[in-house]
């Protein structure tokens, strides 16, 4: 497995990618570039230079500046429209020619570092439903809602454009109902649910393989072949997530995982702390997500899930699940059976 | 920015004149002993003076130039100097045979008179501005609610207006109309967000021109407009919806580069009987249930 990963302070994002888009949007809103670049080491002339790289932390700072300076409820949604397919060279070409939703999402997930450096997308099948859910990569807690809005609007906007029709996405948010609900309604649609455990967008799995009008398999493989292998890396947290997801049934320890990452347990702990999290929280998140998938896909009861995840008994699992998500599995099942509003 | 320079210039002038005033009192007057200082008077007169100076700066920084601005700022400046002279009186005794200090203090009533005249003309100015704001606001103003692109009020203002209309005229039927531009996202994709904003501005003007004085147009979000039609039955609201769709379809909009953009819109309406939230949710769902026709493939090239 490829364990190359980036952290919040790693400077690897070309400034002429996302940062240049933010600058262009700031200009279109008649905002001074100083207001956008405040508090970063960047200058306007750097943005279009080919060798300037920014870190996810810089990117977050730019977003925070833009949000504060424009003070408009639609900023995240408008930025989302610009971000995908974006102007990222071959990766954008590949997205533009994607033959189907599945292929587009596959590119998005594989090249997360370039396309969505702050938030890691994951695709899971919950029964007949395809669920695209997002986990933190490098986010300061106050900005999560903004970045989630932005990335969901980016994917919804791109897929609507490339499919030539609005896809029947249903959205769930790990946040309370926002006061600017109208922006959600217009940019994402009416199928919204708040106070959910996941930040996710889902649709019937049949849509994944419906051919898209501009699709060209040859163009996609040619474009992807030209993308450097180094761009396939994921964030530290996303890499950890994928690693734990594969081994969720044995619940690896911090020591085992840090050995696999090739660093000491102490260093690994420090890296996680720098991202505002710790090992147990990440493991619990993965186990909670797997539980949701087991409930949706197989309709497992507590006994079966406990056995699958390697718990001693159902009670033990029930208590743990409550600790992970704040809900007992039965309350969650009840919530899931209610139609979304 | 010229307004900032103007404020800086005014601040410098006010400071100079105040210092000159102090110097005048210090040279021509006799200082009072500390025991004779009346602190209450010093604080209230000095405070009034400082506040008036602040108001002058706020007026100059916040308003375009012109007669009303000069009257307001001039009046406040005179009040500032008058009260400042009053305050100096607390520190110095001016000999009785000198009258210049009385003239200085007389600036306060003169300033008040000027300010009053200024406020009178400001009211007239406001009436003509209100005419411009017609159909963009009703009954109350909240500057935080205005959208920067279209200068229309936002969804929050709309929800408050619906509630207000239901409370003020519970017997009357009011209608709410939502209008959505078809394939607007393609305009942003193909021509950029700036052109998208220009199209929204054009549609805004078109809607304002085609509505009654008592109607209210809001930018709900994105490319979706909400129109509150007070005292309107369902049939009339339906006609208005159809009419607005027709005029939008007739619009010959061109980008700055001269490309023609075909525009069309969908509109739905309902009687504003329920709460604004459920009413808007219902109308949004109705709009989604009638998706626009698919764009011809040529648009994709």
């Amino acid at each position: 497995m490829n364990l190359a990963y980036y952290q919040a302070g790693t400077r690897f994002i070309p400034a002429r990618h996302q940062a240049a888009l933010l600058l262009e949007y700031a200009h279109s809103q008649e905002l001074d570039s100083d207001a956008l670049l405040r508090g970063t080491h960047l200058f306007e002339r750097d943005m279009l230079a080919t060798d300037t790289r920014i870190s996810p932390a810089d990117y977050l700072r730019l977003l925070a500046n833009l949000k504060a300076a424009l003070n408009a409820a639609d900023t995240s949604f408008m930025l989302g429209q610009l971000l995908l397919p974006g102007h990222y060279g071959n990766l954008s070409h590949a997205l533009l020619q994607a033959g189907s939703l599945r292929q587009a999402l596959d590119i998005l997930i594989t090249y997360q570092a370039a396309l969505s450096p702050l938030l890691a997308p994951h695709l899971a099948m919950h029964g007949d439903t395809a669920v695209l859910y997002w986990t933190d990569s490098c986010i300061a807690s106050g900005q999560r809602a903004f970045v989630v809005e932005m990335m969901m609007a980016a994917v919804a906007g791109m897929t609507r454009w490339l499919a030539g029709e609005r896809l029947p996405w249903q959205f769930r948010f790990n946040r309370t109902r926002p006061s600017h609900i109208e922006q959600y309604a217009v940019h994402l649609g009416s199928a919204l649910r708040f106070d959910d455990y996941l930040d996710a967008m889902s649709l019937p799995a049949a849509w994944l393989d419906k051919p898209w009008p501009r699709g060209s398999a040859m163009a996609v493989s040619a474009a992807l072949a030209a993308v450097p292998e180094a761009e396939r890396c994921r964030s530290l947290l996303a890499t950890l997530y994928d690693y734990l997801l594969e081994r969720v049934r044995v619940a690896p320890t911090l020591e085992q995982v840090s050995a696999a990452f090739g660093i000491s347990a102490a260093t690994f702990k420090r890296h996680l702390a720098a991202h505002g999290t710790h090992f147990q929280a990440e493991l619990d998140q993965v186990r909670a997500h797997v539980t949701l998938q087991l409930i949706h896909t197989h309709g497992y009861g507590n006994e079966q899930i406990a056995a699958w995840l390697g718990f001693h008994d159902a009670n033990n699992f029930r208590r743990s699940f409550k600790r992970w998500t704040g809900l007992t599995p039965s309350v969650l099942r009840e919530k899931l059976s209610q139609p979304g509003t | 920015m010229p307004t900032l320079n103007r404020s800086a210039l005014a601040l410098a002038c006010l400071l100079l004149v105040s210092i000159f005033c102090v110097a005048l009192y210090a040279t021509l007057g006799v200082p009072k002993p500390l025991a004779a200082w009346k602190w209450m008077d010093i604080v209230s007169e000095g405070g009034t003076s400082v506040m008036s100076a602040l108001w002058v700066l706020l007026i100059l920084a916040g308003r375009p130039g012109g007669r009303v601005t000069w009257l307001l700022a001039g009046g406040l400046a005179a009040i500032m100097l008058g009260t400042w002279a009053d305050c100096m009186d607390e520190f110095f005794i001016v000999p009785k045979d000198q009258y210049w200090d009385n003239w200085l203090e007389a600036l306060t009533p003169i300033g008040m008179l000027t300010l009053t005249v200024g406020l009178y003309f400001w009211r007239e100015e406001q009436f003509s501005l209100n005419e411009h704001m017609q159909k963009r606001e009703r009954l109350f103003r909240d500057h935080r609610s205005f959208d920067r692109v279209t200068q229309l009020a936002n969804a929050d203002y709309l929800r408050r207006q619906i509630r207000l209309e239901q409370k003020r005229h519970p017997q009357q039927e009011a209608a709410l109309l939502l209008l959505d531009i078809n394939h607007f996202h393609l305009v942003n994709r193909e021509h950029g967000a700036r052109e998208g904003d220009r199209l929204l501005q054009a549609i805004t003007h078109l809607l304002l021109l085609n509505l009654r004085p008592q109607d209210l147009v809001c930018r709900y979000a994105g490319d979706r407009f909400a129109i509150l039609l007070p005292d309107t039955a369902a049939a009339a609201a339906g006609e208005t919806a159809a009419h607005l769709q027709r005029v939008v379809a007739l619009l010959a909009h061109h980008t700055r580069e001269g490309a023609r953009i075909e525009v069309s819109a969908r509109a739905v309406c309902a009687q504003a009987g329920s709460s604004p939230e459920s009413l808007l949710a219902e109308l949004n769902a109705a709009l989604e249930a009638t998706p626009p026709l698919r764009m011809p493939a040529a648009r994709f090239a």
Side-chain angles (χ1 to χ4, degrees):
Chain A
M1 117 174 244
N2 175 16
L3 285 184
Y5 56 86
Y6 65 87
Q7 300 189 50
T10 315
R11 284 194 188 152
F12 71 94
I13 310 171
R16 71 202 143 82
H17 287 182
Q18 283 88 347
L21 283 177
L22 299 195
L23 185 69
E24 188 189 319
Y25 185 67
H27 283 165
S28 80
Q29 300 299 300
E30 282 151 26
L31 187 70
D32 211 40
S33 51
D34 294 345
L36 173 68
L37 301 175
R38 187 170 300 143
T40 64
H41 55 95
L42 292 162
F43 295 97
E44 189 168 352
R45 62 174 184 278
D46 300 336
M47 303 287 257
L48 297 170
T50 46
D51 54 347
T52 311
R53 296 275 195 275
I54 66 169
S55 67
D58 293 330
Y59 182 24
L60 263 182
R61 181 65 197 245
L62 291 174
L63 287 174
N65 286 348
L66 201 55
K67 183 187 179 203
L70 292 175
N71 190 23
D74 64 351
T75 306
S76 52
F77 297 94
M78 296 307 290
L79 288 178
Q81 282 192 17
L82 296 174
L83 284 176
L84 291 176
H87 305 290
Y88 316 129
N90 284 311
L91 273 179
S92 296
H93 288 307
L95 282 173
L96 272 170
Q97 316 276 350
S100 65
L101 177 60
R102 188 188 294 279
Q103 189 167 36
L105 295 182
D106 189 44
I107 295 170
L108 176 70
I109 292 167
T110 310
Y111 298 95
Q112 182 236 324
L115 299 172
S116 177
L118 301 176
L119 212 55
H122 308 266
L123 185 64
M125 300 305 298
H126 287 181
D128 293 333
T129 307
V131 182
L132 183 72
Y133 63 98
W134 304 82
T135 57
D136 285 1
S137 275
C138 305
I139 299 193
S141 57
Q143 281 178 266
R144 187 182 161 94
F146 184 88
V147 179
V148 166
E149 284 172 0
M150 184 175 86
M151 289 318 299
M152 290 220 201
V155 172
M158 175 182 74
T159 54
R160 176 192 189 178
W161 183 37
L162 297 179
E165 63 192 314
R166 203 166 188 152
L167 302 186
W169 289 111
Q170 300 204 338
F171 298 86
R172 286 184 276 161
F173 297 91
N174 184 1
R175 62 163 296 169
T176 54
R177 193 181 167 82
S179 59
H180 55 295
I181 185 79
E182 61 278 357
Q183 301 294 341
Y184 282 74
V186 170
H187 291 106
L188 300 179
S190 289
L192 306 165
R193 184 149 74 182
F194 298 96
D195 299 309
D196 199 275
Y197 178 66
L198 284 177
D199 284 308
M201 43 203 290
S202 52
L203 80 182
W207 287 87
L208 283 176
D209 297 307
K210 195 172 169 186
W212 280 0
R214 301 173 119 185
S216 158
M218 210 160 65
V220 172
S221 48
L224 289 182
V227 176
E229 182 66 19
E231 295 203 8
R232 292 178 71 118
C233 83
R234 285 178 52 97
S235 68
L236 169 71
L237 295 186
T239 310
L240 175 61
Y241 185 97
D242 294 342
Y243 184 90
L244 292 174
L245 188 63
E246 262 178 52
R247 297 161 180 80
V248 68
R249 299 189 65 175
V250 296
T253 63
L254 171 66
E255 285 68 27
Q256 290 165 343
V257 174
S258 39
F261 274 67
I263 48 180
S264 74
T267 307
F268 196 60
K269 258 187 183 162
R270 216 177 48 245
H271 285 344
L272 290 177
H275 288 77
T277 183
H278 53 91
F279 181 74
Q280 193 61 43
E282 294 303 301
L283 178 62
D284 289 349
Q285 175 176 250
V286 173
R287 293 202 284 190
H289 291 172
V290 169
T291 304
L292 288 175
Q293 192 180 1
L294 292 173
I295 293 175
H296 277 290
T297 310
H298 307 294
Y300 275 10
N302 289 356
E303 299 276 345
Q304 288 159 297
I305 299 171
W308 205 88
L309 286 177
F311 279 86
H312 291 302
D313 56 54
N315 255 338
N316 212 330
F317 160 73
R318 209 175 52 81
R319 268 201 305 279
S320 298
F321 190 78
K322 176 121 196 259
R323 186 162 50 77
W324 304 336
T325 65
L327 297 173
T328 60
S330 53
V331 172
L332 182 89
R333 284 196 188 86
E334 221 167 87
K335 272 189 95 144
L336 292 176
S337 60
Q338 290 162 4
T341 48
Chain B
M1 282 187 288
T3 51
L4 207 78
N5 292 340
R6 210 168 58 182
S7 299
L9 198 66
L11 182 63
C13 284
L14 291 176
L15 272 176
L16 265 178
V17 176
S18 319
I19 292 167
F20 176 72
C21 192
V22 175
L24 202 63
Y25 272 87
T27 47
L28 296 178
V30 183
K32 283 185 183 178
L34 190 61
W37 287 12
K38 292 183 198 137
W39 287 102
M40 267 312 279
D41 289 3
I42 292 172
V43 170
S44 69
E45 282 155 12
T48 310
S49 182
V50 171
M51 282 296 152
S52 308
L54 186 64
W55 294 336
V56 172
L57 298 183
L58 284 176
I59 294 266
L60 288 179
R63 280 186 52 94
R67 185 176 58 168
V68 175
T69 305
W70 291 119
L71 284 171
L72 294 177
L76 286 167
I79 293 175
M80 180 243 152
L81 284 177
T83 48
W84 186 243
D86 235 4
C87 184
M88 287 301 108
D89 249 2
E90 304 296 327
F91 300 106
F92 301 98
I93 298 170
V94 177
K96 286 279 179 249
D97 56 340
Q98 294 187 22
Y99 293 107
W100 56 269
D101 59 324
N102 294 351
W103 284 112
L104 270 181
E105 286 174 30
L107 279 173
T108 307
I110 295 173
M112 286 184 174
L113 199 68
T114 316
L115 182 64
T116 311
V117 174
L119 284 171
Y120 174 78
F121 286 122
W122 171 73
R123 181 172 154 273
E124 291 208 327
E125 178 193 272
Q126 207 52 46
F127 281 140
S128 62
L129 284 179
N130 285 352
E131 210 156 300
H132 172 76
M133 292 301 289
Q134 203 175 45
K135 300 183 215 179
R136 293 175 192 261
E137 69 175 7
R138 294 169 73 238
L139 306 169
F140 69 91
R141 177 168 297 173
D142 181 351
H143 68 277
R144 293 161 306 176
S145 302
F146 285 93
D147 169 56
R148 222 182 34 75
V149 175
T150 59
Q151 302 299 317
L152 294 176
N154 62 18
D156 188 48
Y157 185 86
L158 172 76
R159 285 187 284 258
R160 283 189 282 161
Q161 283 285 348
I162 295 172
R163 251 181 240 120
L164 188 67
E165 183 62 30
Q166 289 168 344
K167 208 167 105 195
R168 276 165 44 104
H169 304 292
Q171 317 304 341
Q172 266 179 21
E173 274 193 298
L176 184 69
L177 198 155
L178 276 193
L179 182 131
D180 191 274
I181 316 294
N182 294 334
H183 306 293
F184 178 76
H185 67 116
L186 291 180
V187 178
N188 277 338
R189 294 260 179 215
E190 289 166 15
H191 303 282
R194 241 183 251 257
E195 283 301 334
D197 285 352
R198 282 188 69 239
L199 176 59
L200 289 176
Q201 284 159 355
I203 302 273
T204 302
H205 287 297
L206 203 58
L207 295 178
L208 289 168
L209 286 172
N210 281 277
L211 288 166
R212 303 168 303 176
Q214 67 268 35
D215 299 334
L216 171 74
V217 189
C218 295
R219 183 179 179 200
Y220 180 65
D223 57 324
R224 202 164 289 180
F225 293 86
I227 299 149
L228 179 63
L229 306 164
D231 192 14
T232 304
E239 272 169 35
T240 305
H243 174 77
L244 292 179
Q245 288 182 73
R246 277 200 303 277
V247 297
V248 170
L250 283 175
L251 177 67
H253 185 76
H254 293 84
T255 65
R256 249 181 256 230
E257 272 149 24
R260 168 82 186 262
I261 297 180
E262 299 289 335
V263 197
S264 62
R266 283 144 36 247
V268 292
C269 55
Q271 295 311 100
S274 51
S275 79
E277 288 77 13
S278 59
L279 184 64
L280 283 163
E282 178 195 326
L283 284 174
N284 276 319
L287 266 182
E288 270 171 47
T290 54
L293 296 173
R294 265 177 92 130
M295 269 286 161
R299 281 296 291 253
F300 259 100

